[in-house]
Amino acid sequence: MTVEAVEDGALIQDGETRVALFAESDHQGGVIVRLHLDLDLYVEEDSLPDILMGMNLMNQGLDYGALNLDPVEPDEPDEDAPLTFAVLGRSVLWLPDLGVAELDRLREHLRRFEAEVTESVERTLHGSRGMSA
């Protein structure tokens, strides 16, 4: 894996997959790790009812993360342009410490999260009843 520092986290790349990882200390001890997987999928606000229903169904089958929508800030604001949302995979993991066993658990969670979200999205988009966005 290739790790690159970004603003307040790290960008982890394994092959074609890039996952943003953000860590912060937990007030009760340990570390909270947040994972964000950009899927390069975008939807406009007029498609939201169908997309939200589809994402809800897809999220029911995910064990290591969930799909979320994030509003995309346009480069040049246009009041008439519809809002656009990016589809992201997100996951959170609490680690009691940063020992070898916990870092191995993080690595496995990261691998499963990426595989599960990617497989779910690809299956939906390329299935016989693919999601239209």
Side-chain angles (χ1 to χ4, degrees), residues 17-29:
T17 303
R18 294 171 44 143
V19 178
L21 182 144
F22 304 94
E24 60 188 61
S25 62
D26 185 12
H27 68 281
Q28 296 177 339

Side-chain angles (χ1 to χ4, degrees), residues 39-103:
L39 299 167
D40 289 327
L41 292 173
Y42 301 92
V43 296
E44 291 185 350
E45 67 181 317
D46 58 346
S47 301
L48 283 181
D50 293 331
I51 296 303
L52 289 173
M53 189 172 12
M55 284 178 52
N56 184 41
L57 292 171
M58 290 169 64
N59 279 334
Q60 290 177 20
L62 299 178
D63 294 324
Y64 289 89
L67 296 172
N68 293 302
L69 295 175
D70 268 1
V72 175
E73 298 290 329
D75 293 336
E76 297 177 22
D78 180 2
E79 291 180 18
D80 297 329
L83 288 175
T84 301
F85 296 85
V87 180
L88 300 175
R90 292 223 171 122
S91 185
V92 177
L93 181 65
W94 178 77
L95 303 173
D97 59 55
L98 294 176
V100 173
E102 290 303 313
L103 291 179

Side-chain angles (χ1 to χ4, degrees), residues 115-127:
E116 181 181 75
V117 168
T118 302
E119 180 183 312
S120 178
V121 170
E122 286 179 355
R123 184 177 56 242
T124 300
L125 292 176
H126 301 295

